[in-house]
Amino acid sequence: MIDFDRLKAMVKPLEEGKAYYRPFVCSGDLSKADIFLVGINPATPIYPEDIDIDSYVDLLLDYNKFMDFYRKKRLDSSKSEISRTRLGMNSFISWLNHYTRSTILETDVIPYPTPSLKELKRESESIKEQGKDIFVNLIQELKPGLIILHGKRAVEYANETFIKYKMNLLRPINLNISIEQMESEPILTEINYGNKKGIIMACRHFMYYGNNGETFSMFKDHVLNALENNKLK
């Protein structure tokens, strides 16, 4: 069970001066989190000097409060209120919520926040491995019926992690095709939890989704079929 104390242990920075981990954010009942939206890593770091750890955990458990804090953090950093990626994710989640009662959980293969992927690569291996541990533990505990990887890098990092942690995939993910080709496929692969299976899909990065996801129409059809076939509605 992921309670306050467990989440507090997850978010704790490994080193002084580092940001908190962000294991997930979700707007519904965590026990019903059967759909994972998975990126590479969060892009807005939040540090202990910004907020104490107990208050930060409270934010992660309250979606609206977290989003309010996130917007203020960006504005204080002279950035737009929300990023293109957040705009796209919010739009997709809003669409998806019309078709499912499952909680949609947002997470990342490496849930350690950095302003860019280049900066993530500069972080120590221990920080990145801790992030992967968090991601894998979430999957193993919550056993999502649908995992959506957004962005080619997220697919690559997830595939590497699935292999390293010996996750039971139906078939290897073919990394030799483009993200557009992956998006056009109804299912990328499946994951076997033992007593349950989940399907894995991929799409372009949500920064390209926009307000209504017009160019994602085929992918959204695949998602609806997945919800129907896996009884996630």
Side-chain angles (χ1 to χ4, degrees), residues 6 13 33 35 54 64 69 76 108 118 123 190 202 205-206 226:
R6 175 114 178 269
I35 299 174
D54 286 352
N64 291 330
F69 188 93
D76 288 346
D108 297 274
K118 184 180 291 186
E123 295 292 343
E190 294 183 18
H205 198 283
F206 278 122

Side-chain angles (χ1 to χ4, degrees), residues 189-221:
T189 188
E190 294 183 18
I191 184 169
N192 189 337
Y193 304 114
N195 60 343
K196 176 184 175 182
K197 290 184 179 179
I199 68 172
I200 299 175
M201 305 175 70
C203 67
R204 283 164 289 156
H205 198 283
F206 278 122
M207 69 182 296
Y208 302 113
Y209 189 89
N211 286 314
N212 51 34
E214 288 182 358
T215 65
F216 283 67
S217 57
M218 180 185 295
F219 177 72
K220 290 193 286 187
D221 287 341

